[in-house]
Amino acid sequence: MTVRLTARTGRAARPSPAGFDRRLIPPMLVGSVLNPVNSSMIAVALVPIGVAFGAPPAETAWLVSALYLATAVGQPVIGRLVDMYGPRRLYLAGTALVGIAGLLGALAPALGALIAARVLLGLGTSAAYPAAMRLTRSEAERTGQDSPAGVLTALAVANQTVAVVGPALGGLLIGLGSWRAVFTVNVPLSAACLVLGALRLPRSATRRRGVDLTGMVLFALLLVALMLFLMDPRTGRWYLPVLSAVAAAGFAVRELRVPDPFIDLRVLGGNGPLLTTYLRQLLAYTTSYAFMYGYTQWLEQGRGLSASGAGLVLLPLSVAALTVSTLTGRREAVRAKLLIGSALQIAGCALLLLVRSGSPLWLLLAVGVVLGIPQGLIGLAAQNALYRQADPERIASAAGLLRTFTYLGALGSSAATAAFYPHRADTAGLHGLALFMLAGSVLLLATTLPDRSLGRLTTRRTTTPGKA
């Protein structure tokens, strides 16, 4: 065994294990679920919040959008800081911010303050996932055992599980107290992260580099303008894509000139496999979220089910995703998972074209199962691909960008759902949405079939610590 030295004191810490340090797993898992639990619990709180503040659905929807916006920007920005200053500092700062945001939300006197609390939650929850990816890479380098599949699977399964139980947990908390409990629960979760992080996360030496604040601000501007347009794409908001394009041009010029950029466009531009992984993430999650949003609305309006009934029909989707992730997680098999996942997405979209208001229950359930399996396969495949393809020195910021493309897919799907359901979620609109999803799934398969490099991702030689 090797002995680690703490960066602050220089004294010997407890001996490090030969394999992955399992003491790191609890803070990694608890921290990483902060985002999905806050993303999912709010779904059942929107109506009581609207009643409490006299706000229509168009206004309470900002409670969802604010978290997406903050997280999409925050993940790569905080990920870059994780790469520079180490996971411990940013993990502790981010999870502390979650606790503060939870208190602000619980005490919020108006909807505007509640939206601000959700922005803080989005930023605070953006630290744990990049930190976990950085820790996973550091442990692989320390041990020479470059096989993180089990750890990455645990992260994915924990996130999926919490996303599934989040609405039920939110309903329970509201039943026991009020909608404010959905925010208050962040306080004990934050405390748990702070204790686990302080006790178990290793200190790391700071890499003395300048922070590219200008690049980060330009990146945030281009992304926020783009996402605001995707949330409500109308001709009257033409200035948003123009602003995004101008910010993108300025960002590109800036990043190509500074010695230590926020996002190294030269390296990223030369890393075609990683760029393709981001594209696949966008395509996969556009389809996934379009189904979640669009199918749920159709079940309630087109089929006439209650909200709880629609939730039960979607339960097989979640069970299928969790089961597949658990069973296949330890085998990376990136290319096989992407091929099978994209093929099943195509099959699920085709099944969706057969659905009518009078379709039997078994068909409604089968659609969920068929489209649930790709969720369990593609998410894991993209995460493992990124781990292998990204620059090890920038693994946290690369992981953050992967989450950004996830949320871009979510917003793109939301725009598509609004376009196909202009007045209500009817069957014709569902079939139009299915064709849109089908096109994305075909593109996903088309980007995977010719990519033989995916089959070689897990064959890289690992090194023994201390040897070249």
Side-chain angles (χ1 to χ4, degrees):
M1 292 187 182
T2 60
V3 176
R4 285 188 296 186
L5 297 178
T6 62
R8 182 173 297 178
T9 66
R11 292 178 298 179
R14 75 175 77 177
S16 298
F20 190 95
D21 190 347
R22 295 187 175 275
R23 292 171 295 178
L24 303 177
I25 294 178
M28 289 169 61
L29 292 182
V30 179
S32 70
V33 302
L34 291 175
N35 189 272
V37 76
N38 280 287
S39 297
S40 56
M41 282 195 306
I42 197 68
V44 295
L46 293 176
V47 171
I49 289 173
V51 171
F53 293 119
E59 293 182 10
T60 57
W62 274 101
L63 293 168
V64 177
S65 302
L67 187 82
Y68 278 162
L69 281 167
T71 307
V73 173
Q75 290 264 357
V77 170
I78 296 177
R80 179 60 183 144
L81 297 177
V82 168
D83 286 328
M84 296 175 68
Y85 298 104
R88 178 187 170 93
R89 293 177 178 87
L90 275 300
Y91 179 96
L92 293 176
T95 52
L97 185 58
V98 169
I100 294 170
L103 282 175
L104 290 176
L107 300 173
L111 183 63
L114 208 57
I115 292 172
R118 290 284 290 179
V119 171
L120 292 180
L121 276 174
L123 293 174
T125 59
S126 293
Y129 179 69
M133 293 295 283
R134 177 77 258 175
L135 286 165
T136 302
R137 168 63 68 180
S138 298
E139 282 297 285
E141 292 171 352
R142 178 184 66 81
T143 62
Q145 300 174 8
D146 193 21
S147 182
V151 177
L152 297 181
T153 299
L155 288 172
V157 171
N159 279 254
Q160 289 175 349
T161 302
V162 169
V164 171
V165 304
L169 175 61
L172 176 63
L173 290 171
I174 293 171
L176 293 175
S178 72
W179 61 264
R180 294 185 185 274
V182 170
F183 289 84
T184 308
V185 73
N186 285 289
V187 177
L189 288 174
S190 170
C193 289
L194 288 172
V195 171
L196 288 170
L199 292 177
R200 299 192 174 192
L201 296 186
R203 294 182 175 89
S204 52
T206 301
R207 300 173 186 182
R208 301 294 180 184
R209 300 175 183 173
V211 177
D212 182 16
L213 288 177
T214 302
M216 291 179 177
V217 170
L218 287 170
F219 174 80
L221 181 61
L222 79 88
L223 200 58
V224 169
L226 175 62
M227 295 179 78
L228 286 174
F229 179 74
L230 289 175
M231 287 161 55
D232 187 15
R234 291 182 282 112
T235 54
R237 295 160 65 90
W238 60 267
Y239 58 90
L240 289 173
V242 171
L243 177 60
S244 181
V246 171
F251 176 72
V253 171
R254 166 75 183 182
E255 300 305 276
L256 291 173
R257 288 183 177 179
V258 295
D260 192 21
F262 161 48
I263 296 176
D264 195 333
L265 295 182
R266 290 188 182 89
V267 173
L268 185 62
N271 192 342
L274 181 59
L275 291 174
T276 307
T277 292
Y278 289 144
L279 174 61
R280 292 189 187 108
Q281 186 83 346
L282 175 65
L283 293 172
Y285 279 88
T286 299
T287 296
S288 177
Y289 278 106
F291 178 70
M292 287 287 291
Y293 296 148
Y295 194 52
T296 303
Q297 290 181 51
W298 177 84
L299 287 172
E300 295 183 33
Q301 294 185 340
R303 180 58 186 256
L305 298 180
S306 64
S308 58
L312 288 175
V313 171
L314 284 174
L315 187 60
L317 178 142
S318 302
V319 172
L322 286 171
T323 302
V324 168
S325 294
T326 304
L327 293 178
T328 67
R330 289 189 174 274
R331 292 180 58 85
E332 295 188 37
V334 172
R335 187 169 187 268
K337 288 179 180 179
L338 288 172
L339 287 174
I340 295 171
S342 54
L344 285 174
Q345 275 197 346
I346 291 172
C349 294
L351 271 180
L352 207 54
L353 291 171
L354 303 177
V355 168
R356 302 286 189 277
S357 59
S359 295
L361 181 60
W362 67 263
L363 179 59
L364 305 184
L365 296 172
V367 171
V369 172
V370 174
L371 284 170
I373 295 173
Q375 285 192 21
L377 292 174
I378 296 173
L380 274 174
Q383 187 172 248
N384 280 290
L386 175 131
Y387 179 85
R388 303 292 182 184
Q389 295 164 340
D391 178 2
E393 292 296 310
R394 291 175 173 264
I395 185 67
S397 53
L401 273 175
L402 187 71
R403 287 291 181 92
T404 296
F405 279 90
T406 299
Y407 290 118
L408 284 173
L411 290 174
S413 70
S414 180
T417 302
F420 287 106
Y421 295 157
H423 305 295
R424 65 187 304 273
D426 56 17
T427 301
L430 177 68
H431 290 168
L433 189 62
L435 290 173
F436 169 79
M437 295 161 53
L438 182 62
S441 301
V442 170
L443 285 174
L444 177 61
L445 181 62
T447 64
T448 305
L449 268 175
D451 192 349
R452 299 292 177 181
S453 68
L454 294 171
R456 299 190 294 271
L457 286 179
T458 57
T459 61
R460 296 182 346 180
R461 182 178 62 86
T462 59
T463 60
T464 303
K467 296 183 180 180

